[in-house]
Amino acid sequence: MLVHSDALWLVVAALLLDAVIGDPDWLWRRAPHPVVWIGNGIGWLEQRLNRETWSKQARKLAGVLTVIVLVSIALLVGAFISDLLHGHWLGLLVEALIASLLIAQRSLYQHVARVHHAFAEGGLPAARKAVAMIVGRDPERLDDAGVARAAIESTAENFSDGIVAPVFWLALLGLPGLIAYKAINTADSMIGHRTDRYVDFGWAAARLDDLVNLVPARLSGVLVAFAAPVIRGSIVTSLKTMLRDARKHRSPNAGWPESAMASALGIALSGPRVYAEGAANEPYLNADGRVAEPDDIRRALRVYAVACGLEIVIYALLAWLL
């Protein structure tokens, strides 16, 4: 499916709906979120195909098969829904509403903002509890700077894989592309770990997630850089820092938006940190920047909000021009 104006207007409508509505809690208290369905499917396949008695090669092949089945079903479901709703403005609206449920603009803002509010209302203990909801590192080992750094890194990274990437695949392949991307991203978060259980079985999910995020991650970094002036940051400096530091990150993708955000805020991000599965001793991004402070979370959210707005404007302009 080639990119055309209908697909781009679908993107714009989905982003606007997500910005206004977000994730309605009242709905998900009554019905499982689509990502929960995807996760249940991954769990079902993993229980049956990831056998400890199998060889490493067999488990890797089983993981490849799992990803093929998962992506195929996602594409078929997306195509069925699109065909069912195609050809009417009301169908486009329903499709945009479905797409908005798989985009995390508003919910990411709300989760990160809770960390900033927790600092103001309950200090470091409350902030630790709030940040534990969005990052995998050990919150009890985090001081004020560590919590702030974790929240800001989560903002930057999830801007890429929670907003820019799903929207990119929605624009390129329509609803099938969006659902397939969410299936891949969810599989990576569930089985794409370097633990004994998943290092082989989750290999395909992790590598495919890296692949489908290559372009969106770089687009995310550019959007963050262009949003830097909202907090008196420099677009040029952010872009230069991103090009210099992005590859220092252990992820081939996360370093792009994180290094752009670090430069925009004038702080150092990444660096040594402790996760549940162990320590990660990594170099800093924008190492010459100062130590992060709680108020930098608020500043990061301003950059994030403007970057989201720029994305909507860009897709609207593309839709209008096409």
Side-chain angles (χ1 to χ4, degrees), residues 122-192:
L124 180 59
R128 282 172 170 165
K129 289 181 180 179
V131 83
M133 302 298 293
I134 58 173
V135 299
R137 62 197 73 176
D138 183 357
E140 296 307 315
R141 297 196 177 205
L142 299 176
D143 56 9
D144 283 16
V147 171
R149 201 173 74 189
I152 294 166
E153 289 168 8
S154 181
T155 304
E157 183 176 358
N158 285 293
F159 173 57
S160 176
D161 60 23
I163 297 101
V164 177
V167 164
F168 174 83
W169 289 106
L170 175 62
L172 198 62
L173 298 175
L175 198 59
L178 171 60
I179 297 176
Y181 172 79
K182 293 301 293 186
I184 294 166
N185 192 241
T186 304
D188 177 59
S189 67
M190 290 181 65
I191 63 175

Side-chain angles (χ1 to χ4, degrees), residues 9-37:
W9 284 123
L10 173 62
V11 165
V12 174
L15 285 169
L16 289 173
L17 282 169
D18 178 61
V20 173
I21 300 172
D23 272 339
D25 290 337
W26 62 267
L27 177 59
W28 307 132
R29 285 195 296 266
R30 293 167 173 79
H33 192 281
V35 172
V36 174
W37 295 347

Side-chain angles (χ1 to χ4, degrees), residues 8-270:
L8 295 171
W9 284 123
L10 173 62
V11 165
V12 174
L15 285 169
L16 289 173
L17 282 169
D18 178 61
V20 173
I21 300 172
D23 272 339
D25 290 337
W26 62 267
L27 177 59
W28 307 132
R29 285 195 296 266
R30 293 167 173 79
H33 192 281
V35 172
V36 174
W37 295 347
I38 294 171
N40 288 340
I42 296 167
W44 187 88
L45 288 167
E46 193 271 338
Q47 288 176 7
R48 285 155 180 79
L49 296 177
N50 189 18
R51 302 293 179 88
E52 294 182 1
T53 55
W54 291 357
S55 68
K56 293 170 68 69
Q57 189 64 29
R59 293 173 80 174
K60 183 175 282 191
L61 289 173
V64 172
L65 176 62
T66 296
V67 169
I68 291 172
V69 170
L70 186 68
V71 173
S72 298
I73 293 173
L75 290 170
L76 287 171
V77 170
F80 174 77
I81 295 172
S82 292
D83 289 344
L84 191 66
L85 299 173
H86 182 71
H88 194 274
W89 69 267
L90 184 59
L92 177 65
L93 181 60
V94 173
E95 195 170 355
L97 183 60
I98 294 171
S100 74
L101 300 177
L102 298 173
I103 301 170
Q105 266 181 143
R106 187 180 179 93
S107 62
L108 175 58
Y109 186 97
Q110 290 171 332
H111 279 92
V112 176
R114 287 190 190 112
V115 181
H116 183 250
H117 295 154
F119 267 119
E121 295 170 4
L124 180 59
R128 282 172 170 165
K129 289 181 180 179
V131 83
M133 302 298 293
I134 58 173
V135 299
R137 62 197 73 176
D138 183 357
E140 296 307 315
R141 297 196 177 205
L142 299 176
D143 56 9
D144 283 16
V147 171
R149 201 173 74 189
I152 294 166
E153 289 168 8
S154 181
T155 304
E157 183 176 358
N158 285 293
F159 173 57
S160 176
D161 60 23
I163 297 101
V164 177
V167 164
F168 174 83
W169 289 106
L170 175 62
L172 198 62
L173 298 175
L175 198 59
L178 171 60
I179 297 176
Y181 172 79
K182 293 301 293 186
I184 294 166
N185 192 241
T186 304
D188 177 59
S189 67
M190 290 181 65
I191 63 175
H193 308 295
R194 294 183 180 274
T195 60
D196 290 342
R197 182 170 179 81
Y198 297 121
V199 65
D200 297 308
F201 183 76
W203 173 85
R207 298 291 76 76
L208 185 57
D209 185 71
D210 287 343
L211 180 63
V212 297
N213 278 295
L214 280 176
V215 174
R218 287 143 183 82
L219 292 176
S220 301
V222 172
L223 286 169
V224 168
F226 272 84
V230 74
I231 54 168
R232 299 184 179 179
S234 167
I235 295 174
V236 173
T237 303
S238 293
L239 290 173
K240 286 181 177 178
T241 302
M242 179 182 73
L243 292 172
R244 184 193 70 201
D245 289 354
R247 292 178 179 85
K248 295 178 181 178
H249 201 285
R250 64 174 176 173
S251 163
N253 297 315
W256 295 84
E258 285 188 24
S259 55
M261 182 68 82
S263 180
L265 297 171
I267 63 175
L269 290 178
S270 192

